[in-house]
Amino acid sequence: MIDERVEVVIEEYNPEWARAFVAIRDFLNSSSVLTLMRIEHVGSTSVVGLPAKPIIDIDIMVKEAEMSDAFNAICSLGYRHLGDLGIIGREAFRLEGREEFMRHNLYLCTEDSLAAKNHLNWRDALRASAELCTEYATLKRSLAERFPHDMDGYCACKTEFITNGLSRFLSASEIALIREQNL
């Protein structure tokens, strides 16, 4: 997890989240290296109508050969490297001291990593299915009530629902690895 001490608060969808992503993406693109990378808004704030924690999740997708250059560019913008946080193929970063940007989690992912597939496929599945969104919103609200100060517990309990939803996109071994890394 990025910060397990964060209070788990679920807010109704806010169109400002899309604008906040654009502002952060534009800041990232101030690095000439990062303008060449694919920058994706992922997570619940990227799905119109879906309640979410008001924290933007962003993936910068790179080829393995571009990882070092992208890593250095991200750090040059003031991001602090947090490590992979137990997720293979993904490096996490936090920007501190820049109050003009909404709180966000920035991840550097190789394009073919399971972390990237997980984020993109889940986002796209939610965007494609109002029923799935409704079920997920209900689960998120109930887990936020159950785990108001336990981000790890909140995330762990979402894992089964998410991996079941991802099972049509990923192999059984990939699903098992996601479960293992998230629990």
Side-chain angles (χ1 to χ4, degrees):
M1 301 303 115
I2 283 288
D3 188 348
E4 61 281 345
R5 294 165 293 141
V6 172
E7 185 175 359
V8 181
V9 175
I10 302 298
E11 295 181 3
E12 292 305 312
Y13 177 78
N14 184 339
E16 186 57 36
W17 296 339
R19 290 187 282 278
F21 164 73
V22 169
I24 298 163
R25 184 194 61 206
D26 290 349
F27 172 66
L28 292 167
N29 279 328
S30 70
S31 164
S32 60
V33 171
L34 297 178
T35 61
L36 305 173
M37 312 295 172
R38 192 167 127 213
I39 301 173
E40 295 280 348
H41 186 185
V42 296
S44 295
T45 61
S46 70
V47 180
V48 174
L50 183 62
K53 296 183 311 294
I55 302 169
I56 306 293
D57 289 320
I58 300 171
D59 285 355
I60 299 177
M61 314 296 256
V62 299
K63 293 176 177 49
E64 186 67 41
E66 301 168 325
M67 194 68 141
S68 179
D69 289 341
F71 183 97
N72 291 333
I74 292 166
C75 291
S76 75
L77 291 172
Y79 283 86
R80 181 171 51 98
H81 181 231
L82 303 175
D84 70 7
L85 304 177
I87 307 294
I88 298 165
R90 180 194 86 178
E91 297 297 322
F93 298 83
R94 173 169 296 131
L95 182 63
E96 295 171 345
R98 298 294 301 258
E99 301 304 318
E100 70 268 33
F101 298 114
M102 186 172 167
R103 181 162 181 183
H104 59 284
N105 299 321
L106 180 66
Y107 303 107
L108 178 60
C109 303
T110 54
E111 292 175 331
D112 60 347
S113 70
L114 183 55
K117 290 180 198 177
N118 176 1
H119 285 173
L120 296 173
N121 284 321
W122 184 239
R123 177 200 64 193
D124 294 346
L126 288 167
R127 285 178 174 175
S129 172
E131 182 180 341
L132 183 62
C133 264
T134 299
E135 290 174 24
Y136 191 45
T138 300
L139 175 66
K140 288 164 58 95
R141 286 184 186 110
S142 71
L143 292 176
E145 287 178 17
R146 185 172 160 200
F147 298 102
H149 302 289
D150 180 4
M151 187 63 74
D152 285 343
Y154 169 83
C155 290
C157 286
K158 291 189 318 178
T159 296
E160 189 66 25
F161 184 86
I162 292 169
T163 53
N164 285 340
L166 286 169
S167 64
R168 61 184 168 178
F169 303 105
L170 304 175
S171 70
S173 62
E174 289 172 319
I175 294 295
L177 186 55
I178 290 170
R179 282 187 178 123
E180 177 184 317
Q181 290 178 352
N182 284 291
L183 298 174

